Amino acid sequence: MALRRRIAVLAVLLPLALAGTASAQPATPVMQPPTTIDGPTGAIQGLSGLSVSRDGTGGLVYLEAVNGVNHVFVSPLTGGVFGTPVEIDAGFTGPSSQPVIAAGDGGLLLTAFINAGELFVVSRTTASAALGVPQGLYANAMNPSIALSIHSAGYLAFTAADGSGFDVRDLYYNAGSWRLGSGPVNVTAADDAGTGLGAPKVAAAGDGEGVVAWGEGGHVFARRVWFGMVSSAVAQADVPSMSGFTEVAASSPMIGAGDNSSFSDVTFHEVFTNGSATISRVLMSRLVASAFQVAAEGDGQAFTGPQATQPGIAMMQYGNGFVTSELQGSNQVWAMILGQNGAAGPSQQVDSLPNATAPYPTAAIAGDYTGLIAWQHDPGVLSSPEIRARFYSSATFGPELVASDPSLGPTNAAEGLFAAGDHGGDVAIAFVQGTGSATRIEVAQLIYPPGSFSVPSTPRYRTSANPTLTWSSPRELWGPTSYSVSLDGVAAGTTAGASFTPTAPLSQGAHTLAVTAVNAHGLTSPAAPARFFVDSLPPVGQLRLSGKERVGATLHLRVRYSDVSGGVPAADTSGVVTVFVNWGDRTTSRIRVQTASHQYLRPGRFRLTITITDRAGNRSVLIKQIRISKKKK
């Protein structure tokens, strides 16, 4: 049902996505120096999560000891800047644990955590609002996982104690309220589902549905949830055998979803044996409607080749993305490139250098078809561990980039490494760096320059010597944009808005306007210069009227006119475009060759008005009062 319901939507959205892939942006955003969010302090207990919505708002969450007790801190992301961390559970005397975070458009931010065995959530509804107070949602809970869709429908999966065992439950979020799912998500009640390496993970699709994956009884399952209801269909992701090997157990599920919930991918760790050898693999199963397709080898290895672990996944708007894994022994990072709607694609090694320890890879989506994979590179005795990343664009990975600052000591990805991006392609990489009292929470950001914009060449003529010059606004999700303005090759000033008025009058004639957009991180994008003309002087003219001012007689009007140059070449003036005469008797004429004729049909006093207009819109008015006498008998 879900598949049929969304095929039509996908058919409309996909051409729009493909049409929007071309861009004047560079292939890879620019890596910025990392920023310290907290520290140095030995109180930091580990980074727990990072989430960025499509509109660029978001936040990160971590644990830090306050007077020896672990508490939850959130640093909100607004305008491309991570704010001062806020302790969101300050009212609790006991320790908090397992914080998770999810960001939605408009600054919506949901942070869940466990305290005294109870599941709490703290909400922020808009980017300008403060973080709220903890709200208790469920007692006897653990292992929360949270996700928000692009339309701010949220899902929170968790493990709940149920008599003699554990169940996987879910909560649905909408417009500030939470609704508990209609029943357990797991297959068998109270059978320790969602515990240990089977902790549940949830994804929220763009169409508003959620999908939960979890471990249960040594297997990995997935089930759809929506609006507080639980699907009747449960699908098993792992396989009983592969390449002549029999399954031992499956665990560590991770789940991804794009805008269409009919297609979701679950990646997981599965161990096989043939009686004499044990094989550790990272597999990916694609959930189509309510059934999994045949599992694919997400680690990209021959079945009896290098063994893999640490499954991860990130899916973009249209289902493209990555399945990540790390090879045991060599500690290399591998990625399967997902095709449309999560289809399994080719796999490749992401890192290029030998790694002495586990890389803890993490993937992020950014834009429609771009993303990033980050990992920890440990050169062993040669140097300290550092965070590296590769940006993915135009179906290929860019060069390796170093995200961490070596002067701050070794990175510690085991205590947290996360990446997340916005719809504009900007990405944040959050990680722990340093040891002991020198421990820090760091964030490195890859940011595009402001998007393309234009300075219009219309109107060509400006009728003020101090014209207000305007241009379009570039797309910029992370931080306000300012503009550097040049006139005729000379810097004229800066402005925060998409308009500029020169303080000194401009001379008559041609001018060139050049504008460069500058974002909050100092990255720039110039627009193509535009030429305009200042013509603020009205045209001049003289009139001469001949003939009898009598009813029925023909009056002859001659108007001599010209545009005023103001000392510039005549070619730079706009030139007279129209001359109209209003004879004062409800009739008008257009003068084309400096002359016009008219007969009045009744006597009286009339006001003859001549309007001379140049192409810039400047006008001059000539007025002559005349008296028409009666026709002689």
Side-chain angles (χ1 to χ4, degrees), residues 211-259:
V211 187
V212 181
W214 71 96
E216 180 177 359
H219 301 287
V220 170
F221 299 91
R223 197 169 196 171
R224 302 184 185 280
V225 293
W226 66 96
F227 314 124
M229 297 179 286
V230 178
S231 170
S232 59
V234 181
Q236 184 173 333
D238 56 304
V239 294
S241 62
M242 183 176 281
S243 297
F245 283 69
T246 302
E247 178 187 31
V248 176
S251 63
S252 306
M254 302 293 288
I255 188 166
D259 278 357

Side-chain angles (χ1 to χ4, degrees), residues 145-358:
S145 174
I146 195 167
L148 275 165
S149 78
I150 59 172
H151 301 299
S152 300
Y155 292 93
L156 177 53
F158 59 96
T159 304
D162 183 13
S164 59
F166 292 90
D167 287 330
V168 174
R169 300 297 305 266
D170 77 289
L171 285 151
Y172 169 68
Y173 172 87
N174 182 47
S177 63
W178 292 89
R179 181 189 305 168
L180 182 65
S182 55
V185 176
N186 48 295
V187 178
T188 304
D191 68 343
D192 293 342
T195 59
L197 295 177
K201 300 295 179 182
V202 66
D207 55 27
E209 287 194 5
V211 187
V212 181
W214 71 96
E216 180 177 359
H219 301 287
V220 170
F221 299 91
R223 197 169 196 171
R224 302 184 185 280
V225 293
W226 66 96
F227 314 124
M229 297 179 286
V230 178
S231 170
S232 59
V234 181
Q236 184 173 333
D238 56 304
V239 294
S241 62
M242 183 176 281
S243 297
F245 283 69
T246 302
E247 178 187 31
V248 176
S251 63
S252 306
M254 302 293 288
I255 188 166
D259 278 357
N260 189 345
S261 65
S262 294
F263 305 94
S264 301
D265 285 358
V266 176
T267 183
F268 51 94
H269 179 223
E270 187 162 4
V271 177
F272 297 89
T273 184
N274 65 355
S276 59
T278 300
I279 302 295
S280 174
R281 301 301 308 276
V282 169
L283 303 183
M284 186 278 287
S285 290
R286 186 181 184 216
L287 183 64
V288 180
S290 296
F292 277 111
Q293 295 182 329
V294 176
E297 296 169 300
D299 51 32
Q301 307 303 305
F303 193 82
T304 57
Q307 301 190 51
T309 186
Q310 291 295 320
I313 189 170
M315 287 183 71
M316 303 173 193
Q317 181 176 1
Y318 299 100
N320 305 77
F322 319 103
V323 169
T324 58
S325 58
E326 63 179 61
L327 302 189
Q328 296 177 338
S330 68
N331 300 309
Q332 304 299 153
V333 178
W334 277 73
M336 170 188 279
I337 311 302
L338 299 176
Q340 208 73 34
N341 294 321
S347 297
Q348 68 178 88
Q349 184 175 327
V350 179
D351 56 347
S352 63
L353 299 175
N355 212 352
T357 56

Side-chain angles (χ1 to χ4, degrees), residues 485-561:
V485 181
S486 293
L487 288 168
D488 305 322
V490 178
T494 60
T495 177
S499 65
F500 180 79
T501 303
T503 55
L506 301 179
S507 62
Q508 302 294 303
H511 296 274
T512 300
L513 170 64
V515 182
T516 298
V518 185
N519 67 14
H521 301 269
L523 302 177
T524 62
S525 291
R531 199 176 189 202
F532 66 95
F533 295 80
V534 171
D535 183 353
S536 61
L537 302 176
V540 295
Q542 294 178 328
L543 68 85
R544 184 168 63 87
L545 192 65
S546 62
K548 301 294 185 179
E549 295 182 5
R550 183 185 302 146
V551 172
T554 300
L555 288 175
H556 300 281
L557 175 66
R558 176 176 289 275
V559 181
R560 293 183 176 180
Y561 51 83

